[in-house]
Amino acid sequence: MAGFIKALLDWRKLENQTLYAIILAIILGVILPELAQYLKVVGDIFLRLLKAIAIPLVITSIFVSIVSLGSLRELKSLGLKAIAYYTATTFLAVLTGLIVVNLFFGNGFSSGEVSHSQTFQAREISLQDFLVGFFPSNIFQSLAEGKIVQIIVFTVLLALGVLAIKETLKGKETVTNLFEGLNEAFLNTAGWIIKLTPLGVFAIVYYTIATHGLGAFSSLWKYALAVVLGLLWHATVNLGLIAYLLAKVKPHEYFAKVREALLIAFSTASSSATLPVSLRVAQEKGGVDKKVAGFILPLGATVNMDGTALYEAVAVMFIASMYGIDMDLTKQVIILVTATLAAIGAAGIPSAGLVTMTLVLTAVGLPLEGIAIILAIDRFLDMLRTSVNVWGDLIGAKLVDNLQRGRL
Ligand code: ASP
């Protein structure tokens, strides 16, 4: 433990500088908000660079890991483990959210008056659109629109196609070498962008605090508290136990190793933008095999969102109580299932969870406009839930890595 604290205090480390940058940005954002506008450009450039590298990294990492697995059987084994982990932990996260609400706030919050401070144009998502949306019809359109799930599906098909090319044909090696080379190159580029993290993160957090203010917490504090408590419990106890018992790592030590990714997740509120960093820290500091990290992390950044799932469950319970609607056990079971699905469907970008929450609200018959109630503090909760999303991905990568090495 002493080593862990010492590691957190070493100011020469990039991840610690990032942490200090966040703390400083929060303080300055509150006392000197007018300066934030000058920093916006710095944060924007940093974020754009991260996003620019994210999709090329997703494609090349997934491609390289599938081809290096060598067979459909290996892919199936890795894929099934990943899906089992994602579903189980997401489900557990929603359950935790519901338990926190029921335990600490009774069935609902009943805190009464919260004003609809902002308007929100919610669009209902049907289950059919949701499922069809996983499949690309034009890969260039998917690329241009940043539809990551579609890009992943296409990349998996492409990699399987390449695996099926006969060994005797030159094409197989050529394409594989090309993707491997590109993957290395993108990882190098990501490394350079990561060096800018303290500065980029300082600018983003400063601007966020200055523009969103902390005032909104006063009327929504009970709701925010429930989300925070749930997230804390899930990140430390649920995921901590999984890390310790199944991934065979001490959670605090693993946390110290990969914390750079968690800090970026907190600052950017985007799992996808964090991906370049997660890939690097998982391999270089967390000791996760490249094949496993390259497959589990890009997939996890898109489908595995424990924090989002938990938050959606708490938010829906809160909205229901604001409308004075009772959520009985049946409705809570519906929340359990739909919030899991909604989190899987959420993209790894800021506010994505807010949008897919409409799926849950519709399922339990609540008005979509209810989302307007929680809008004011959503950015802050987004920062926290995204960190938990990424933490879940990183533990998943370590766990599957262990399983693949037969260490369980
Ligand atoms: N911002 C989250 C993420 O990127 C998704 C969400 O909950 O809005 O992981």
Side-chain angles (χ1 to χ4, degrees):
M1 203 67 182
F4 169 65
I5 293 174
K6 217 168 122 201
L8 282 182
L9 292 177
D10 184 350
W11 64 269
R12 283 159 306 186
K13 286 207 167 104
L14 187 75
E15 47 272 51
N16 293 346
Q17 292 169 4
T18 308
L19 180 66
Y20 307 150
I22 291 177
I23 298 171
L24 191 66
I26 294 178
I27 298 171
L28 289 175
V30 172
I31 56 175
L32 269 177
E34 50 293 339
L35 290 187
Q37 46 176 317
Y38 303 111
L39 279 169
K40 187 170 184 298
V41 59
V42 179
D44 281 351
I45 292 176
F46 176 66
L47 210 55
R48 289 179 83 110
L49 288 173
L50 276 179
K51 285 189 194 154
I53 204 82
I55 290 181
L57 257 180
V58 168
I59 299 175
T60 54
S61 300
I62 291 196
F63 183 93
V64 169
S65 34
I66 293 182
V67 174
S68 56
L69 285 173
S71 72
L72 197 61
R73 215 183 38 156
E74 283 284 315
L75 173 66
K76 216 169 100 192
S77 130
L78 195 66
L80 286 178
K81 281 172 195 142
I83 290 169
Y85 170 81
Y86 295 156
T87 328
T89 49
T90 308
F91 205 69
L92 193 63
V94 184
L95 198 63
T96 306
L98 291 175
I99 292 175
V100 167
V101 172
N102 284 288
L103 225 57
F104 288 90
F105 303 97
N107 180 10
F109 294 81
S110 62
S111 63
E113 298 310 300
V114 169
S115 61
H116 291 229
S117 50
Q118 299 174 46
T119 48
F120 181 77
Q121 289 294 333
R123 200 173 59 88
E124 203 173 313
I125 310 170
S126 77
L127 199 60
Q128 209 174 345
D129 291 347
F130 176 75
L131 289 176
V132 171
F134 285 149
F135 299 91
S137 64
N138 175 345
I139 186 60
F140 295 102
Q141 192 179 357
S142 313
L143 286 169
E145 291 173 0
K147 295 261 164 56
I148 303 243
V149 182
Q150 298 178 0
I151 296 170
I152 290 178
V153 170
F154 187 85
T155 310
V156 171
L157 289 175
L158 176 67
L160 290 178
V162 171
L163 264 184
I165 299 178
K166 285 202 189 70
E167 293 295 337
T168 46
L169 294 178
K170 259 211 323 255
K172 185 172 193 168
E173 208 186 318
T174 315
V175 181
T176 309
N177 284 344
L178 173 70
F179 273 84
E180 270 172 4
L182 283 174
N183 187 243
E184 287 303 325
F186 290 135
L187 278 171
N188 287 342
T189 322
W192 299 328
I193 301 169
I194 292 168
K195 292 218 163 72
L196 303 172
T197 309
L199 185 65
V201 157
F202 175 75
I204 297 175
V205 176
Y206 197 149
Y207 188 75
T208 311
I209 298 286
T211 46
H212 287 71
L214 293 172
F217 275 99
S218 56
S219 59
L220 293 165
W221 71 270
K222 263 193 178 179
Y223 157 66
L225 182 69
V227 176
V228 173
L229 280 179
L231 288 176
L232 265 179
W233 179 274
H234 186 70
T236 53
V237 182
N238 298 348
L239 291 177
L241 278 175
I242 291 175
Y244 188 69
L245 298 174
L246 302 175
K248 309 278 186 218
V249 279
K250 294 208 175 84
H252 63 277
E253 281 176 14
Y254 191 57
F255 172 88
K257 285 182 185 153
V258 300
R259 66 185 184 280
E260 180 73 12
L262 305 177
L263 293 172
I264 302 254
F266 177 80
S267 319
T268 60
S270 166
S271 303
S272 294
T274 310
L275 187 64
V277 189
S278 328
L279 275 169
R280 262 187 94 95
V281 292
Q283 289 170 44
E284 286 176 9
K285 300 190 175 159
V288 178
D289 181 48
K290 188 175 176 178
K291 260 191 299 202
V292 176
F295 184 77
I296 302 288
L297 291 175
L299 200 64
T302 344
V303 301
N304 184 41
M305 300 207 177
D306 295 4
T308 301
L310 187 149
Y311 138 86
E312 291 197 2
V314 177
V316 169
M317 292 292 283
F318 177 66
I319 291 171
S321 75
M322 285 301 122
Y323 281 102
I325 298 171
D326 185 43
M327 288 279 120
D328 56 16
L329 194 63
T330 325
K331 287 209 169 133
Q332 293 198 33
V333 172
I334 297 178
I335 295 181
L336 198 59
V337 177
T338 48
T340 304
L341 281 176
I344 292 174
I349 53 173
S351 301
L354 200 66
V355 178
T356 60
M357 195 196 298
T358 54
L359 204 72
V360 191
L361 289 171
T362 313
V364 290
L366 286 170
L368 301 187
E369 301 74 54
I371 290 182
I373 303 175
I374 55 168
L375 221 50
I377 56 165
D378 203 65
R379 177 67 192 206
F380 296 104
L381 298 180
D382 200 358
M383 293 160 94
L384 292 174
R385 67 185 186 249
T386 308
S387 307
V388 176
N389 291 344
V390 173
W391 178 227
D393 297 340
L394 287 162
I395 290 179
K398 193 70 193 168
L399 167 62
V400 175
D401 189 41
N402 262 339
L403 289 173
Q404 289 298 97
R405 292 175 204 243
R407 285 216 193 117
L408 270 187

